[in-house]
Amino acid sequence: MFNLSVRDHFMIAHSFRGEVFGPARNLHGATYVVDIEFERPELDPDGLVVDIELARTSLKRVLDSLNYKNLDDVDEFKGINTTTERLAQIIFSRMAEEILEGALGQEAKGLTSMTVKLNESHVAWASYESKL
Amino acid sequence: MFNLSVRDHFMIAHSFRGEVFGPARNLHGATYVVDIEFERPELDPDGLVVDIELARTSLKRVLDSLNYKNLDDVDEFKGINTTTERLAQIIFSRMAEEILEGALGQEAKGLTSMTVKLNESHVAWASYESKL
Amino acid sequence: MFNLSVRDHFMIAHSFRGEVFGPARNLHGATYVVDIEFERPELDPDGLVVDIELARTSLKRVLDSLNYKNLDDVDEFKGINTTTERLAQIIFSRMAEEILEGALGQEAKGLTSMTVKLNESHVAWASYESKL
Amino acid sequence: MFNLSVRDHFMIAHSFRGEVFGPARNLHGATYVVDIEFERPELDPDGLVVDIELARTSLKRVLDSLNYKNLDDVDEFKGINTTTERLAQIIFSRMAEEILEGALGQEAKGLTSMTVKLNESHVAWASYESKL
Amino acid sequence: MFNLSVRDHFMIAHSFRGEVFGPARNLHGATYVVDIEFERPELDPDGLVVDIELARTSLKRVLDSLNYKNLDDVDEFKGINTTTERLAQIIFSRMAEEILEGALGQEAKGLTSMTVKLNESHVAWASYESKL
Amino acid sequence: MFNLSVRDHFMIAHSFRGEVFGPARNLHGATYVVDIEFERPELDPDGLVVDIELARTSLKRVLDSLNYKNLDDVDEFKGINTTTERLAQIIFSRMAEEILEGALGQEAKGLTSMTVKLNESHVAWASYESKL
């Protein structure tokens, strides 16, 4: 099994609802350093898992849709806690759409699974992984 | 599949028995930077893999039971080599008990697997992973 | 010259004013991983730059005064941009007060300079350094 | 499941063929920081995944066969793109041979899978993973 | 004193001349992860060391002039060893020109020194630092 | 000013004396990841700060004199606390001797200062820096 990963980041504000969150119920924020991993059983004819430049461009487009925002004000996220693990899943879904729409090239259809990891500090990170 | 990881560390002395260990048969020591990863297929009602503060507290309690010790003097470890990989398994077991006892909260019963990784230097690390 | 550094982090929301900030004029946020370095020409009688546990406790107290806040709502910061470099200076000042008040122990009076570095992502960080 | 990983590196020149590579079709180069992970279900009688010194020595021998070379001039690689993901597979194969030949010791026959990860920069890495 | 740093990277091929270089006299290559640090005694009116977006753009332009090249074929480097430390100085000079030409904005004239660090692997890095 | 750094590590047991050390008065241990930085105002005729292979070999020799030891049993350290900051100074002194004895080559006489940093965990490190 082959994997390729690229890294980028975004910075948002948000707050959480629920006793479990303690002081994180206040409006605060985070830098998320994002590692996205693409997986496939065989390389494409160029010897690649995916075109790395297209993958970077797609990831940047997806992160730009979140970057420099207060997630509490985003309609789509009303009523959900935008925890690190949930954001990983949201980014996964948007990247999966990018693949389906061909933004990562025709060969990206050979990708079989993907993992999105969000590093929120030097001591905590979360990820969402699924088949494609 | 969702994952959440937290990092902490502990510092111990120990020595090994067996030809394969060479100079590591002398009493020496190590800093272990510990990454513990929790996994579950769906998030809990708060949108979490696990309550991160409870997870941190439990991990600290487990590491405190080893921290600042000479493992050669710990009864439980008599006759075994406390290699990095073995220590990962020992910490896994103690964390699994914490989960069973409810220390990570009721929702932690939804966790399906766990990985304990011990980073012993910038060039070597080991882990133990199992279903819960 | 001897140095000792410890690391911790905090997470805040804020926004900036001024053309130069582009999309960062929106309310967003950041995780800041903080490295504080203490310097002195000779070690204290225990062989230390500073009591590391007191240093950690002081740093945590200072960061807790900022953690999980929207800095735009903090009176003290009205009218200033809480850029990474400015926050480094603010934390420096608060840590310098901690030292003056004796929170890092009597021996901390031998410290001659200090640097506060804030890592805001994997590709950007800023610091403030000064004599004490 | 137990894992042990060790890290080393090598530095090569190469170029790629194919539109997808853009400016990387020019002769350029890379530092690859290599993480090799060994996996087995149970530890050996010494409490190890593998003899770490033998593993390091084998990995270094394999990397020395590539280090400080222009891969475009290596007969074995004529006609293939030595992408990061392909190089991960090549190193995997050579390490698998080392294991078969006994270079990692008799106990290494208990290894069940292996992953070779090549870090090419702070924002990109690739890996090849397979059963042994 | 205030500092701001940004990180980027480039990938080149080259070879060295001189007994001291051993196997590095062969054509090989490197990924250089570049950290550039800007220093000034007081922040500008926006609360910044330098406009980070302009700094990133300038650094990328400078690195693009080297990226994906065989440095042995670049006229400017004929007769010199493009060691990591020398490349740090070369990038420093080009960035200093960018500042002089106004590419980092008018406020960048307040910068008093700069450091360029090139990370060539997980175990080696070099830098050049000078007043501006 | 030019700098070159190399990284290596060693693993020791020790204990401390004095109230300030709390539980660290027990026999425990540490992995120290060592970064040694060499500085000089001009490069040598080969374009180097120092011969990196000789520097690595010297550093390894110095670290081997401490590696896999219980420092409490080393005569030279009787009566002193082998704190991270003190160990940084001890390694500095031994490396300075290596330079004086010519182990880093004739050109190493042009080195003007050196810094030894010991990373003891992901949240603490210390260093000693001096002119040569």
Side-chain angles (χ1 to χ4, degrees):
Chain A
M1 196 61 72
F2 292 91
N3 290 276
L4 177 81
S5 296
V6 295
R7 173 170 284 191
D8 203 338
H9 77 289
F10 67 106
M11 304 172 93
I12 54 85
H14 61 171
S15 62
F16 299 127
R17 292 179 305 172
E19 285 296 309
V20 68
F21 294 101
R25 287 172 295 183
N26 295 335
L27 183 63
H28 64 288
T31 305
Y32 292 112
V33 174
V34 183
D35 297 334
I36 185 161
E37 183 181 81
F38 304 95
E39 187 171 275
R40 64 191 299 157
E42 298 299 334
L43 298 181
D44 76 11
D46 288 308
L48 295 172
V49 168
V50 71
D51 180 331
I52 196 169
E53 290 312 318
L54 293 181
R56 270 187 214 287
T57 302
S58 261
L59 179 59
K60 188 165 179 354
R61 184 165 42 234
V62 166
L63 300 187
D64 278 350
S65 69
L66 300 168
N67 202 11
Y68 294 124
K69 289 197 174 156
N70 177 359
L71 301 185
D72 293 358
D73 289 344
V74 176
D75 282 347
E76 184 179 352
F77 304 144
K78 293 284 178 199
I80 65 165
N81 279 319
T82 54
T83 58
T84 309
E85 38 273 65
R86 184 66 80 197
L87 286 171
Q89 188 188 33
I90 290 164
I91 292 167
F92 181 101
S93 298
R94 294 183 181 186
M95 283 300 297
E97 283 174 41
E98 292 271 328
I99 293 169
L100 274 176
E101 290 164 2
L104 282 84
Q106 289 306 303
E107 293 297 341
K109 292 183 178 166
L111 296 172
T112 50
S113 81
M114 193 165 62
T115 303
V116 173
K117 182 163 77 157
L118 268 62
N119 302 279
E120 73 171 60
S121 77
H122 65 303
V123 291
W125 50 95
S127 63
Y128 178 71
E129 173 189 12
S130 178
K131 298 283 175 206
L132 282 170
Chain B
M1 196 61 73
F2 292 92
N3 290 278
L4 176 82
S5 295
V6 295
R7 173 171 284 191
D8 203 338
H9 76 288
F10 67 107
M11 303 172 91
I12 53 88
H14 60 172
S15 63
F16 299 128
R17 293 179 306 174
E19 284 295 312
V20 68
F21 294 101
R25 287 171 294 183
N26 296 334
L27 184 61
H28 64 288
T31 306
Y32 292 111
V33 174
V34 183
D35 297 335
I36 183 160
E37 183 181 81
F38 304 95
E39 187 171 275
R40 63 192 299 157
E42 298 299 335
L43 297 182
D44 75 12
D46 289 308
L48 295 171
V49 168
V50 71
D51 180 331
I52 196 169
E53 289 312 318
L54 293 182
R56 269 186 214 290
T57 303
S58 260
L59 179 60
K60 187 166 180 354
R61 184 166 42 235
V62 166
L63 300 187
D64 279 350
S65 70
L66 301 168
N67 202 12
Y68 293 125
K69 288 198 174 156
N70 176 359
L71 301 185
D72 293 358
D73 289 344
V74 176
D75 283 348
E76 184 178 351
F77 304 143
K78 294 283 178 199
I80 65 164
N81 279 319
T82 54
T83 58
T84 309
E85 37 274 67
R86 184 65 81 195
L87 286 171
Q89 188 189 34
I90 289 164
I91 292 167
F92 181 101
S93 299
R94 294 183 181 187
M95 284 300 296
E97 284 173 41
E98 292 272 327
I99 293 169
L100 274 177
E101 291 164 2
L104 283 81
Q106 288 308 302
E107 293 297 341
K109 291 183 178 165
L111 296 172
T112 50
S113 82
M114 194 166 61
T115 303
V116 174
K117 182 163 77 156
L118 268 62
N119 302 279
E120 72 171 61
S121 76
H122 65 304
V123 290
W125 51 94
S127 63
Y128 178 71
E129 174 188 10
S130 177
K131 298 283 175 205
L132 282 170
Chain C
M1 196 61 73
F2 292 92
N3 291 276
L4 177 82
S5 295
V6 295
R7 173 170 284 192
D8 203 337
H9 76 289
F10 67 107
M11 303 172 92
I12 53 86
H14 60 172
S15 63
F16 299 127
R17 292 179 308 173
E19 285 295 311
V20 69
F21 294 102
R25 287 172 295 183
N26 296 334
L27 183 62
H28 64 288
T31 305
Y32 292 112
V33 174
V34 182
D35 297 333
I36 184 160
E37 182 181 82
F38 304 95
E39 186 171 276
R40 63 191 299 158
E42 299 299 335
L43 297 181
D44 76 12
D46 288 308
L48 295 172
V49 168
V50 71
D51 180 330
I52 196 170
E53 290 312 318
L54 294 181
R56 269 187 215 286
T57 302
S58 261
L59 179 59
K60 186 164 180 357
R61 183 165 43 233
V62 166
L63 300 187
D64 279 350
S65 70
L66 301 168
N67 202 11
Y68 294 124
K69 289 198 174 155
N70 176 359
L71 301 186
D72 292 359
D73 288 344
V74 177
D75 282 347
E76 185 178 352
F77 304 143
K78 295 282 179 200
I80 65 165
N81 280 318
T82 53
T83 58
T84 310
E85 38 272 67
R86 184 65 81 197
L87 286 171
Q89 188 189 33
I90 289 164
I91 292 168
F92 182 101
S93 298
R94 294 183 182 187
M95 284 300 296
E97 282 174 41
E98 293 271 329
I99 293 170
L100 274 176
E101 290 165 2
L104 283 82
Q106 289 306 303
E107 294 297 342
K109 292 183 177 164
L111 296 171
T112 50
S113 82
M114 193 165 63
T115 303
V116 173
K117 183 163 76 158
L118 269 62
N119 303 279
E120 73 172 61
S121 76
H122 66 302
V123 290
W125 50 95
S127 64
Y128 179 71
E129 174 188 11
S130 177
K131 299 283 176 204
L132 282 169
Chain D
M1 196 62 71
F2 291 93
N3 290 277
L4 176 82
S5 295
V6 295
R7 174 171 283 192
D8 202 337
H9 76 288
F10 67 106
M11 304 171 92
I12 54 85
H14 61 171
S15 63
F16 299 127
R17 293 179 305 173
E19 285 295 311
V20 69
F21 294 102
R25 287 173 293 183
N26 295 334
L27 183 63
H28 64 287
T31 306
Y32 291 111
V33 174
V34 182
D35 297 334
I36 184 161
E37 183 181 81
F38 303 95
E39 186 170 276
R40 64 191 299 157
E42 299 298 335
L43 297 181
D44 76 11
D46 288 309
L48 295 172
V49 168
V50 71
D51 180 332
I52 196 170
E53 289 312 317
L54 293 182
R56 269 187 214 289
T57 303
S58 261
L59 179 59
K60 188 166 179 354
R61 182 165 44 232
V62 166
L63 300 187
D64 279 350
S65 70
L66 300 168
N67 202 12
Y68 294 125
K69 288 198 175 157
N70 176 0
L71 301 185
D72 292 358
D73 289 344
V74 176
D75 282 347
E76 185 178 350
F77 303 143
K78 294 283 179 200
I80 65 164
N81 280 318
T82 54
T83 58
T84 310
E85 39 273 67
R86 184 65 80 198
L87 286 171
Q89 188 188 33
I90 290 164
I91 292 167
F92 182 100
S93 298
R94 294 183 182 187
M95 283 300 297
E97 283 174 40
E98 292 271 330
I99 292 169
L100 274 177
E101 290 164 3
L104 282 82
Q106 288 307 303
E107 294 297 342
K109 292 182 178 165
L111 296 171
T112 50
S113 83
M114 193 165 62
T115 303
V116 174
K117 182 162 76 156
L118 267 62
N119 303 279
E120 72 172 61
S121 76
H122 65 304
V123 290
W125 50 95
S127 63
Y128 178 72
E129 175 188 9
S130 178
K131 299 283 175 205
L132 282 170
Chain E
M1 196 62 71
F2 292 92
N3 291 276
L4 177 82
S5 296
V6 295
R7 173 170 284 191
D8 203 338
H9 76 288
F10 67 107
M11 304 172 92
I12 53 87
H14 61 172
S15 63
F16 298 127
R17 292 179 306 173
E19 284 296 311
V20 69
F21 294 101
R25 288 173 293 184
N26 296 335
L27 183 62
H28 64 288
T31 305
Y32 291 112
V33 174
V34 183
D35 296 335
I36 184 160
E37 183 181 82
F38 303 95
E39 186 171 276
R40 63 191 300 158
E42 299 298 335
L43 297 181
D44 75 12
D46 288 308
L48 295 171
V49 168
V50 71
D51 180 332
I52 196 169
E53 290 312 318
L54 293 182
R56 270 187 215 286
T57 303
S58 261
L59 179 59
K60 186 164 181 356
R61 183 164 44 234
V62 166
L63 300 187
D64 279 349
S65 70
L66 299 168
N67 202 11
Y68 294 124
K69 288 196 175 158
N70 176 359
L71 301 186
D72 293 358
D73 288 345
V74 176
D75 283 348
E76 184 178 351
F77 303 143
K78 294 283 179 200
I80 65 164
N81 279 319
T82 54
T83 58
T84 310
E85 38 273 67
R86 184 65 82 196
L87 286 171
Q89 188 189 34
I90 289 164
I91 292 167
F92 181 101
S93 297
R94 294 181 181 187
M95 284 299 296
E97 282 173 41
E98 293 271 329
I99 292 169
L100 275 176
E101 291 164 3
L104 282 82
Q106 289 307 303
E107 293 298 341
K109 292 183 177 164
L111 296 172
T112 51
S113 82
M114 194 166 61
T115 303
V116 174
K117 182 162 77 157
L118 269 61
N119 302 279
E120 72 171 61
S121 76
H122 65 303
V123 290
W125 50 95
S127 63
Y128 178 71
E129 175 188 10
S130 178
K131 298 282 176 206
L132 281 170
Chain F
M1 196 63 71
F2 292 93
N3 290 277
L4 177 81
S5 295
V6 295
R7 174 171 282 192
D8 202 337
H9 76 288
F10 67 108
M11 303 172 92
I12 53 86
H14 61 172
S15 62
F16 299 128
R17 293 180 305 173
E19 285 296 311
V20 70
F21 294 101
R25 287 172 294 183
N26 296 335
L27 183 62
H28 64 288
T31 306
Y32 291 112
V33 174
V34 183
D35 297 334
I36 184 161
E37 183 180 82
F38 304 95
E39 186 170 276
R40 63 191 301 158
E42 299 298 336
L43 297 181
D44 76 11
D46 289 308
L48 295 172
V49 168
V50 70
D51 180 332
I52 197 169
E53 290 312 319
L54 293 181
R56 269 187 215 287
T57 302
S58 261
L59 179 59
K60 187 165 179 357
R61 183 163 45 231
V62 166
L63 299 188
D64 279 349
S65 70
L66 300 168
N67 202 11
Y68 294 124
K69 288 197 176 158
N70 176 0
L71 300 186
D72 292 358
D73 289 344
V74 176
D75 282 348
E76 185 178 351
F77 303 143
K78 294 284 179 199
I80 65 164
N81 279 319
T82 54
T83 58
T84 309
E85 38 274 66
R86 185 65 80 198
L87 286 171
Q89 188 188 34
I90 289 164
I91 292 167
F92 181 101
S93 298
R94 294 183 181 186
M95 283 300 297
E97 283 173 40
E98 292 271 329
I99 293 169
L100 274 176
E101 291 165 3
L104 282 83
Q106 288 307 303
E107 294 297 341
K109 292 181 178 166
L111 295 172
T112 51
S113 82
M114 193 164 63
T115 303
V116 174
K117 183 163 76 156
L118 268 62
N119 303 278
E120 73 172 59
S121 76
H122 65 304
V123 290
W125 51 95
S127 63
Y128 178 71
E129 174 188 10
S130 178
K131 299 282 175 205
L132 282 169

